[in-house]
Amino acid sequence: EYSRDFTYIDNVIQMNIRAMETKNPDAINTVYNTAYGERTTLNQLVGYLKEFLSEFDSEIAKVEIFYGPNRTGDIPHSLANIDKARNLLGYNPQFSVKQGLKEAVKWYCENL
């Protein structure tokens, strides 16, 4: 049930474009969290992958998940604060991890 604030590549692209094109002097030469602003557990992530990949190969739904030991020093939960990017750059991520994974899986399965 560890969780992270995963983000889809289109959100990263939006952030980079906004940072490059900003005219806001307070937004220049600073660091931003590029994220979606929502926690996703690793179990949810695996569930999404199984769901979306199963549309292309039904056997994937039957894959058993094996859990290893927790890693020493790993942080159980992480959620990025994207307020600074919203306020200074107008950053507004458009893709949740679920939406992004669905797009990515579809593209990979159709193109590779």
Side-chain angles (χ1 to χ4, degrees):
E1 286 301 311
Y2 277 31
S3 65
R4 298 287 179 267
D5 189 348
F6 299 103
T7 196
Y8 184 57
I9 188 65
D10 283 12
N11 296 335
V12 177
I13 292 167
Q14 181 198 150
M15 175 69 85
N16 281 302
I17 290 171
R18 289 182 178 276
M20 287 186 305
E21 294 180 346
T22 188
K23 302 289 189 236
N24 180 351
D26 295 331
I28 297 171
N29 292 325
T30 190
V31 177
Y32 299 96
N33 287 327
T34 304
Y36 185 68
E38 177 180 281
R39 277 191 189 136
T40 302
T41 69
L42 297 178
N43 286 322
Q44 287 175 303
L45 188 69
V46 169
Y48 297 151
L49 286 168
K50 286 177 74 172
E51 175 187 347
F52 301 142
L53 288 166
S54 293
E55 294 176 20
F56 297 92
D57 181 351
S58 61
E59 291 298 308
I60 291 174
K62 301 173 189 173
V63 171
E64 188 177 350
I65 305 304
F66 294 94
Y67 296 91
N70 292 338
R71 297 183 308 183
T72 303
D74 203 0
I75 298 168
H77 304 288
S78 177
L79 176 62
N81 183 331
I82 58 173
D83 290 344
K84 181 177 169 185
R86 283 188 197 275
N87 294 333
L88 295 178
L89 297 174
Y91 175 62
N92 184 25
Q94 300 297 303
F95 289 88
S96 68
V97 68
K98 185 176 182 179
Q99 294 166 312
L101 280 175
K102 187 171 188 159
E103 292 291 320
V105 166
K106 180 181 177 197
W107 187 91
Y108 279 106
C109 289
E110 291 176 352
N111 293 284
L112 298 178

